[in-house]
Amino acid sequence: MENFRLNENEVKKQRIFFSDNFNISLKDQVFMLSDSVHILQAGQINISSKESLVDIKDAFLYPDMKSKNYNRLSTTFQISVPTLHLHNINFEEAYFSKEISLEKLEVDAPKFRIFTRSGIAKSLDLNKFQIPLPPVLNSLELRELELKNGQVITYETSGEKQKVKSNFNIDMILPGVSIKTDKNKQVKLSTSNLIAKISRFETLLGTYHKFSIQQLDFNKKQKTLVVSGLNIEPFAQKNIGNKFAVAAPQITFSGFDVQQALDKNFFIFDEITLSNPKIAIEITDSIKGDKLEFTKNLDLYSFIEPYTDKLEINRLNLNNVDL
């Protein structure tokens, strides 16, 4: 501690530890978060008021399955982060007002495990992704949040059983982030933009098809999604009824209303363009007269129903299709 002074006058001042500057190193810290379910552990926290910096090592967030509130949550998280860097912190403001304002938060190589309870929430229901805060904080303001080299696995759970739904890598930049706790202790997140790159995405589509994407680029402000290297193919060799395969080098989504996705789990697009896709459909229905009655059983909604409540496309362009 620098310039430590403790007297009657200093007690009345808002000086942390009655010092101008301080360096603190904490180990094995545990915090219960605002939802009374998730717990945040930190292997080591290094704080420097002179440099306005906090370094956190071996952070781990996980749910307390014994919490009385655990079954009230449709989605829970396990997140491990080797290092967290928080820049330009005003420690006096953070300590006395319980509000933190940061220039930048860097999250490097985090690993996310997202658990969604079957029948309660869908995998893409973003409104169910509530972000808890430590109870000592009322709000967190970030000029920029950068997430690099993230790995994500999502699970569907039923009782004690769980199965993998999807896995992918993610890099993300969020400028102008605001995270606040309301009077009901619910955490609300807003951001001026969201720029994300998802790569090596894999999931099941229905029971017998697998779905993969080489890369997905998203820009919230521009309302665009660009998908590269999309593939859908059946993986079961036995007779499974109607099946199909799709290979699309690039798909462009425009006019994506992300607020509808956040609020209602509706995925609505002005336009989707598929360039040079190859589509193969195998129909096992019988032929009656001169009509192939496959439309009764070719239910495409069943493939997207586990993920979203609504998919709407105002204009769909298929360019140079090989069918």
Side-chain angles (χ1 to χ4, degrees), residues 11 15 32 106 153-154 170 200 287:
V11 170
R15 296 172 72 235
M32 175 61 75
E106 296 179 7
I153 301 177
T154 68
I170 186 168
R200 300 177 65 182
I287 297 177

Side-chain angles (χ1 to χ4, degrees), residues 90-102:
N90 185 325
F91 286 99
E92 283 76 17
E93 179 183 342
Y95 183 82
F96 292 104
S97 69
K98 295 186 179 182
E99 297 179 351
I100 291 182
S101 179
L102 303 176

Side-chain angles (χ1 to χ4, degrees), residues 215-307:
Q215 185 168 314
L216 181 152
D217 294 284
F218 171 64
N219 189 302
K220 175 188 172 185
K221 188 171 288 187
Q222 296 176 2
K223 297 185 176 182
T224 57
L225 273 169
V226 179
V227 173
S228 303
L230 180 146
N231 279 281
I232 302 173
E233 56 186 348
F235 61 85
Q237 299 300 318
K238 61 182 180 180
N239 184 8
I240 59 172
N242 299 330
K243 55 187 177 182
F244 58 94
V246 179
Q250 182 168 302
I251 307 175
T252 302
F253 302 75
S254 61
F256 175 39
D257 189 346
V258 69
Q259 200 60 47
Q260 289 270 42
L262 289 169
D263 295 339
K264 300 180 180 180
N265 199 27
F266 290 176
F267 284 73
I268 300 174
F269 304 91
D270 285 343
E271 189 172 40
I272 298 180
T273 300
L274 286 82
S275 300
N276 304 309
K278 294 183 179 180
I279 303 172
I281 302 175
E282 182 177 323
I283 306 300
T284 60
D285 299 286
S286 60
I287 297 177
K288 297 181 179 180
D290 60 351
K291 296 181 179 179
L292 194 62
E293 302 237 345
F294 68 89
T295 54
K296 292 182 179 179
N297 297 325
L298 194 60
D299 181 11
L300 297 180
Y301 180 70
S302 64
F303 294 105
I304 66 168
E305 192 273 337
Y307 302 95

Side-chain angles (χ1 to χ4, degrees), residues 93-161:
E93 179 183 342
Y95 183 82
F96 292 104
S97 69
K98 295 186 179 182
E99 297 179 351
I100 291 182
S101 179
L102 303 176
E103 285 291 315
K104 187 173 184 179
L105 171 59
E106 296 179 7
V107 184
D108 190 25
K111 294 183 179 179
F112 298 86
R113 304 291 182 266
I114 302 173
F115 302 87
T116 301
R117 292 173 62 192
S118 177
I120 297 180
K122 299 184 179 183
S123 298
L124 292 179
D125 194 348
L126 304 177
N127 194 39
K128 302 296 183 182
F129 287 43
Q130 298 291 338
I131 303 171
L133 284 175
V136 296
L137 286 182
N138 293 328
S139 69
L140 176 62
E141 303 283 341
L142 299 169
R143 181 165 292 184
E144 182 176 281
L145 169 62
E146 182 176 12
L147 187 153
K148 300 183 291 185
N149 305 313
Q151 298 179 1
V152 182
I153 301 177
T154 68
Y155 299 83
E156 182 181 75
T157 65
S158 179
E160 296 182 355
K161 297 180 180 179

